[in-house]
Amino acid sequence: MRIPLLAALLLALVAAPAAFAHAFPDNSSPHVGATVATAPKQVKIWFDGEIEPVFSTLLVKNAAGKQVSAGKGEVDKHDHALLETALPANLPPGKYAVYWSVIAHDGHHTEGHFAFTVK
Ligand SMILES: [Cu+2]
């Protein structure tokens, strides 16, 4: 048991610097898992580093799996760490899933998803 544990710790130390080069979300609007009383007009995700506009996407789907956001989303022209997309006016109450996929400047791909609920 001792050797695999040591190997795992060494691997974690080696892997850590590379992980910092990837882009991961720092914050979002709505927040991850949030329940909001007013339907948001946009979804925004702030990353911990700049992302590539051409290859980064942000999709919002409703509980039925239908995309409700506009296009593939876009990287903000003035802030290349901000990925955003517009939502239709008066989004009905329900649970929504946000899917993001980005390429960082080091060429590494990361993706994930989170939910928010409109009351
Ligand atoms: Cu990376």
PDB file of all heavy atoms in Angstrom, residues 18-23 104 106 108, ligand 1:
ATOM      1  N   ALA A  18       1.032  21.679 -14.829  1.00  0.00           N
ATOM      2  CA  ALA A  18       0.334  21.626 -16.110  1.00  0.00           C
ATOM      3  C   ALA A  18      -1.126  22.032 -15.938  1.00  0.00           C
ATOM      4  O   ALA A  18      -1.699  22.700 -16.786  1.00  0.00           O
ATOM      5  CB  ALA A  18       0.427  20.238 -16.712  1.00  0.00           C
ATOM      6  N   ALA A  19      -1.717  21.628 -14.811  1.00  0.00           N
ATOM      7  CA  ALA A  19      -3.128  21.923 -14.576  1.00  0.00           C
ATOM      8  C   ALA A  19      -3.373  23.432 -14.523  1.00  0.00           C
ATOM      9  O   ALA A  19      -4.412  23.916 -14.946  1.00  0.00           O
ATOM     10  CB  ALA A  19      -3.606  21.271 -13.289  1.00  0.00           C
ATOM     11  N   PHE A  20      -2.398  24.178 -14.043  1.00  0.00           N
ATOM     12  CA  PHE A  20      -2.567  25.626 -13.934  1.00  0.00           C
ATOM     13  C   PHE A  20      -2.607  26.309 -15.300  1.00  0.00           C
ATOM     14  O   PHE A  20      -3.096  27.408 -15.439  1.00  0.00           O
ATOM     15  CB  PHE A  20      -1.450  26.245 -13.085  1.00  0.00           C
ATOM     16  CG  PHE A  20      -1.624  25.989 -11.628  1.00  0.00           C
ATOM     17  CD1 PHE A  20      -0.744  25.192 -10.926  1.00  0.00           C
ATOM     18  CD2 PHE A  20      -2.701  26.547 -10.942  1.00  0.00           C
ATOM     19  CE1 PHE A  20      -0.915  24.959  -9.570  1.00  0.00           C
ATOM     20  CE2 PHE A  20      -2.883  26.308  -9.595  1.00  0.00           C
ATOM     21  CZ  PHE A  20      -1.992  25.510  -8.905  1.00  0.00           C
ATOM     22  N   ALA A  21      -2.058  25.632 -16.296  1.00  0.00           N
ATOM     23  CA  ALA A  21      -2.032  26.225 -17.631  1.00  0.00           C
ATOM     24  C   ALA A  21      -3.376  26.100 -18.345  1.00  0.00           C
ATOM     25  O   ALA A  21      -3.649  26.834 -19.275  1.00  0.00           O
ATOM     26  CB  ALA A  21      -0.947  25.566 -18.467  1.00  0.00           C
ATOM     27  N   HIS A  22      -4.206  25.162 -17.909  1.00  0.00           N
ATOM     28  CA  HIS A  22      -5.532  25.016 -18.498  1.00  0.00           C
ATOM     29  C   HIS A  22      -6.429  26.149 -18.024  1.00  0.00           C
ATOM     30  O   HIS A  22      -6.156  26.781 -17.019  1.00  0.00           O
ATOM     31  CB  HIS A  22      -6.159  23.695 -18.056  1.00  0.00           C
ATOM     32  CG  HIS A  22      -5.444  22.493 -18.568  1.00  0.00           C
ATOM     33  ND1 HIS A  22      -4.168  22.179 -18.219  1.00  0.00           N
ATOM     34  CD2 HIS A  22      -5.850  21.527 -19.404  1.00  0.00           C
ATOM     35  CE1 HIS A  22      -3.811  21.059 -18.825  1.00  0.00           C
ATOM     36  NE2 HIS A  22      -4.805  20.646 -19.556  1.00  0.00           N
ATOM     37  N   ALA A  23      -7.512  26.389 -18.783  1.00  0.00           N
ATOM     38  CA  ALA A  23      -8.469  27.411 -18.373  1.00  0.00           C
ATOM     39  C   ALA A  23      -9.666  26.760 -17.673  1.00  0.00           C
ATOM     40  O   ALA A  23     -10.289  25.847 -18.220  1.00  0.00           O
ATOM     41  CB  ALA A  23      -8.940  28.200 -19.591  1.00  0.00           C
ATOM     42  N   ALA A 104      -7.623  26.874 -24.088  1.00  0.00           N
ATOM     43  CA  ALA A 104      -6.780  27.909 -23.488  1.00  0.00           C
ATOM     44  C   ALA A 104      -5.671  28.288 -24.464  1.00  0.00           C
ATOM     45  O   ALA A 104      -5.483  27.633 -25.492  1.00  0.00           O
ATOM     46  CB  ALA A 104      -6.184  27.400 -22.178  1.00  0.00           C
ATOM     47  N   ASP A 106      -2.646  27.807 -24.216  1.00  0.00           N
ATOM     48  CA  ASP A 106      -1.636  26.744 -24.333  1.00  0.00           C
ATOM     49  C   ASP A 106      -2.135  25.599 -25.222  1.00  0.00           C
ATOM     50  O   ASP A 106      -1.450  24.598 -25.388  1.00  0.00           O
ATOM     51  CB  ASP A 106      -1.226  26.224 -22.950  1.00  0.00           C
ATOM     52  CG  ASP A 106      -2.364  25.529 -22.220  1.00  0.00           C
ATOM     53  OD1 ASP A 106      -3.480  25.462 -22.776  1.00  0.00           O
ATOM     54  OD2 ASP A 106      -2.138  25.054 -21.104  1.00  0.00           O
ATOM     55  N   HIS A 108      -4.707  23.679 -24.648  1.00  0.00           N
ATOM     56  CA  HIS A 108      -5.390  22.621 -23.908  1.00  0.00           C
ATOM     57  C   HIS A 108      -6.893  22.856 -23.838  1.00  0.00           C
ATOM     58  O   HIS A 108      -7.353  23.983 -23.649  1.00  0.00           O
ATOM     59  CB  HIS A 108      -4.817  22.495 -22.491  1.00  0.00           C
ATOM     60  CG  HIS A 108      -3.427  21.946 -22.481  1.00  0.00           C
ATOM     61  ND1 HIS A 108      -2.538  22.158 -21.463  1.00  0.00           N
ATOM     62  CD2 HIS A 108      -2.772  21.202 -23.404  1.00  0.00           C
ATOM     63  CE1 HIS A 108      -1.394  21.566 -21.747  1.00  0.00           C
ATOM     64  NE2 HIS A 108      -1.513  20.978 -22.921  1.00  0.00           N
TER      65      HIS A 108
HETATM   66 CU    CU B   1      -3.179  23.536 -20.291  1.00  0.00          CU
END
